[in-house]
Amino acid sequence: MTDIEIPPAIRTFIHATNEGDAAAFVAAFTPDAYLNDWGREFHGRDGVSSWNGTDNIGVQAHFALKGVDKSSEDTYVVTLTVSGNGYNGTGPMTFVLKDGLIASLRIS
């Protein structure tokens, strides 16, 4: 793992998922957030909440942090191992932050 400090919103994203806290998970995103999961697009907190219910906490996902790289002032590439009753595997998630919250998340 790198020595880069993980921003609070990304820490919340991981912790809320692992604790099954849907309210905290959605609150980590901006009201106009954009989430792209392998080409499937979700918009706003309602979209994030929908994705969370079908692809994340809703399928008992659990994240193990493997690494984090800061690619620009507000962009972080976080490598997570995902387990649960949905997708299982390791891969990057690209987070763009705005005002301390997740404005964009791209999973690919």
Side-chain angles (χ1 to χ4, degrees):
M1 191 160 8
T2 63
D3 292 331
I4 296 169
E5 174 139 359
I6 301 168
I10 298 173
R11 283 197 314 265
T12 297
F13 174 88
I14 295 168
H15 181 74
T17 295
N18 292 347
E19 294 298 316
D21 187 343
F25 179 85
V26 173
F29 288 81
T30 62
D32 62 345
Y34 171 72
L35 191 153
N36 184 309
D37 182 1
W38 290 92
R40 294 183 309 134
E41 298 181 325
F42 302 85
H43 299 275
R45 285 188 172 148
D46 286 344
V48 168
S49 180
S50 173
W51 177 85
N52 183 48
T54 59
D55 292 80
N56 193 42
I57 291 174
V59 292
Q60 297 79 43
H62 184 272
F63 296 142
L65 180 65
K66 296 301 178 186
V68 60
D69 292 305
K70 187 174 183 178
S71 61
S72 72
E73 183 62 30
D74 295 319
T75 303
Y76 296 80
V77 178
V78 179
T79 302
L80 297 170
T81 296
V82 182
S83 59
N85 295 317
Y87 172 82
N88 286 270
T90 301
M93 296 186 182
T94 302
F95 294 85
V96 178
L97 304 181
K98 178 181 175 188
D99 300 327
L101 296 174
I102 301 166
S104 173
L105 170 58
R106 180 174 298 275
I107 304 167
S108 56

